[in-house]
Amino acid sequence: MTTPWSLRRLHTVDTAQIGQLSDVLIDCVDGGASVSFMHPLSRDRAEAFWRHVASGVAAGQRALVVAEDAQGVCGTVQLVFDLPENQPHRADVSKMLVHRRARRQGLGAALMRAAEATARDCGKNLLVLDAVTDGDAARLYERLGWVRVGVIPGYALWPGGGLCSTTVYYRQLEP
Ligand SMILES: CC(C)(COP(=O)(O)OP(=O)(O)OC[C@H]1O[C@@H](n2cnc3c(N)ncnc32)[C@H](O)[C@@H]1OP(=O)(O)O)[C@@H](O)C(=O)NCCC(=O)NCCS
């Protein structure tokens, strides 16, 4: 089956890609996702975030995977490698984001499979992430075999205010 998107890892991030990644992040916050930012998320703040990510990618501290459709970037996920020196075998999974135009077609699952494959390629065998408890993302991760560690109540704010809990997950990767 052909999909309306293609996936690739970016080793450098240009200005146009920063703009498209910002569109995805702003759309997710507009849609009510708790992904570090409050609503409304300005373009300036979104672009500053992605410029920071771009620096990390250039420095080898992060791996950035994007999905692109006919309109540009429609989804993304990151692996964070910038961890203490006693954890060289693991990475944090961060900022799994799918634009609302591309949701519920399997892209979230495809991005996670790509993140896991990238992690293996980079010699990692343990991944960790957290997600809003019982949300769309948590359901996705559990379906993909991530192991639920536990819930931290009142961990973060929803973009419109009010506390939400987070659930911590891990996944061990086969070599
Ligand atoms: C969480 C998120 C990444 C999921 O992305 P997605 O592309 O919609 O994910 P998938 O399509 O793989 O799965 C989502 C649902 O669509 C369903 N689905 C997948 N392919 C489908 C298809 N072809 N037809 C119908 N339904 C389909 C899945 O079964 C799943 O159903 P469920 O929610 O009832 O469990 C997305 O909702 C998102 O970006 N949310 C906002 C940001 C966020 O919260 N990120 C997580 C940070 S931890």
Side-chain angles (χ1 to χ4, degrees), residues 28 33 35 96-98 102-109 130-131 136-137 139-141 143:
C28 287
V35 285
M96 160 76 84
L97 305 168
V98 173
R103 287 192 195 162
R104 302 193 65 82
Q105 302 170 55
L107 178 51
D130 65 83
D136 293 344
R139 216 165 38 250
L140 170 69
Y141 304 146
R143 191 171 65 245

Side-chain angles (χ1 to χ4, degrees), residues 18-20 22-24 26 41-48 51:
I18 284 175
Q20 293 174 15
S22 299
D23 290 339
V24 174
I26 290 168
L41 173 58
S42 70
R43 178 152 293 275
D44 277 357
R45 273 181 64 70
E47 291 190 355
R51 279 195 299 275

Side-chain angles (χ1 to χ4, degrees), residues 134 137-146 148 167 169:
D134 295 335
R139 216 165 38 250
L140 170 69
Y141 304 146
E142 290 187 17
R143 191 171 65 245
L144 295 177
W146 283 67
R148 187 180 172 122
T167 303
Y169 293 89

